[in-house]
Amino acid sequence: MPDREKLQQQADIVREQLEKHPELPLEKREALEKLAAKLEFQLELEPATQSPSISDDVTRAAAEFDAEHPVIAGVLRNIVNTLGSIGI
């Protein structure tokens, strides 16, 4: 599977996790929604115009979710790996 397709699939998984975890505090839910939207926006850009800060944002989010929501943190770490493999 090409990396960009894999990244889209992982962004979809983030959205699914939001649906599966309605108990997430509003602040964390909004942060994940913004992150998913940012990922989807990045997918529309050409690789040369993509911002490397998205990797930092996803890494920070993974650290925030690590203790209470390890599944979400794992998905976010997979996204960081995929971003790295496509040069972001």
Side-chain angles (χ1 to χ4, degrees), residues 32-74:
L32 271 181
E33 288 172 350
K34 285 179 185 178
L35 190 59
K38 193 172 182 180
L39 283 169
E40 290 165 351
F41 176 74
Q42 290 294 315
L43 285 166
E44 295 174 13
L45 298 175
E46 291 299 317
T49 62
Q50 292 174 334
S51 169
S53 69
I54 185 81
S55 292
D56 295 337
D57 294 345
V58 178
T59 299
R60 277 192 296 278
E64 289 178 24
F65 283 90
D66 203 27
E68 295 179 24
H69 302 283
V71 172
I72 294 173

